[in-house]
Amino acid sequence: GAVVSQHPSWVICKSGTSVKIECRSLDFQATTMFWYRQFPKQSLMLMATSNEGSKATYEQGVEKDKFLINHASLTLSTLTVTSAHPEDSSFYICSAPGLLGSYEQYFGPGTRLTVT
Amino acid sequence: GNSVTQMEGPVTLSEEAFLTINCTYTATGYPSLFWYVQYPGEGLQLLLKATKADDKGSNKGFEATYRKETTSFHLEKGSVQVSDSAVYFCALSPGSARQLTFGSGTQLTVLP
């Protein structure tokens, strides 16, 4: 089946620095990708929809200037957490939808971000 | 808005036991319903789905029936195996939008 990778799988950074997380579709093209955030023992919450070649669509309450999303190619979307703070520590997961009408989504393994 | 309420975990069962994980939802219209599974160190994988009322999704011995009258989509398996140990997520999507709303996940551990 289709594979989505994320890099890094985990990262520790200091407050005030920025961190970039990559999401790649390895064997298929994805004009759309989704970014989710998951707190311990809680749901995955949709943060934004990443669109290749255009601006991302952010969910209500998500700061677009803090969580910068770039979808520069059909196989890569990046999420940059700018000026990170400890409250940004979380598990970030991306996904890419399958063929239209299939209802399938392919998820990356996630990135654990810890801000100290 | 849309929401999914899922049975709290963790759930620990012996091999060959019967499994039920409850899931109820709130949504406008007629959403599609899903169960995803996440094995340790891996991404979420689609386990099964149902796109309209009374549909039954099934895969790998797991089943769930879309019950519109009770707004439920409970996951069942008649005889679990150790290899079924994972986190299970119930989710819904408003039609073809494909943006998923997830439940909180249920950790299942099956002991030999």
Side-chain angles (χ1 to χ4, degrees):
Chain A
V3 177
V4 173
S5 71
Q6 281 185 243
H7 177 81
S9 56
W10 59 271
V11 57
I12 301 173
C13 70
K14 293 186 176 181
S15 287
T17 61
S18 295
V19 173
K20 180 184 287 188
I21 302 169
E22 295 184 347
C23 177
R24 293 181 184 273
S25 55
L26 296 186
D27 49 2
F28 67 106
Q29 294 180 334
T31 56
T32 299
M33 290 183 175
F34 300 105
W35 285 96
Y36 295 86
R37 182 174 179 177
Q38 185 181 25
F39 293 99
K41 301 186 187 299
Q42 295 189 26
S43 299
L44 281 75
M45 293 177 55
L46 179 66
M47 298 175 64
T49 301
S50 173
N51 303 299
E52 188 268 335
S54 64
K55 292 182 179 180
T57 304
Y58 291 82
E59 295 300 301
Q60 190 173 8
V62 177
E63 300 176 59
K64 62 180 180 181
D65 294 331
K66 180 164 191 62
F67 298 100
L68 300 179
I69 291 173
N70 185 283
H71 195 149
S73 78
L74 289 172
T75 59
L76 174 64
S77 174
T78 60
L79 169 67
T80 301
V81 183
T82 62
S83 186
H85 289 98
E87 56 266 31
D88 299 325
S89 298
S90 194
F91 197 55
Y92 293 88
I93 301 173
C94 70
S95 73
L99 294 174
L100 193 63
S102 73
Y103 294 92
E104 185 77 56
Q105 277 203 38
Y106 303 102
F107 285 83
T111 297
R112 172 75 61 192
L113 169 63
T114 301
V115 184
T116 61
Chain B
N2 299 330
S3 67
V4 177
T5 301
Q6 193 174 334
M7 186 173 94
E8 293 279 335
V11 174
T12 302
L13 297 173
S14 297
E15 204 165 23
E16 299 184 1
F18 184 85
L19 169 71
T20 299
I21 301 177
N22 290 337
C23 172
T24 57
Y25 68 90
T26 302
T28 54
Y30 302 95
S32 297
L33 302 175
F34 306 86
W35 277 99
Y36 280 83
V37 59
Q38 185 175 33
Y39 298 103
E42 299 183 17
L44 275 74
Q45 302 172 24
L46 180 63
L47 179 61
L48 54 84
K49 69 178 186 293
T51 58
K52 61 182 187 296
D54 300 324
D55 267 2
K56 177 185 284 188
S58 61
N59 186 25
K60 299 181 180 179
F62 291 90
E63 294 184 338
T65 301
Y66 189 143
R67 300 287 188 198
K68 187 172 183 297
E69 63 277 12
T70 55
T71 61
S72 64
F73 193 55
H74 304 321
L75 182 68
E76 296 182 337
K77 186 174 185 180
S79 176
V80 294
Q81 305 299 312
V82 173
S83 57
D84 294 327
S85 297
V87 181
Y88 292 81
F89 292 90
C90 185
L92 69 80
S93 175
S96 60
R98 296 194 280 181
Q99 294 172 334
L100 293 164
T101 298
F102 286 91
S104 56
T106 301
Q107 172 76 56
L108 170 66
T109 301
V110 180
L111 303 176

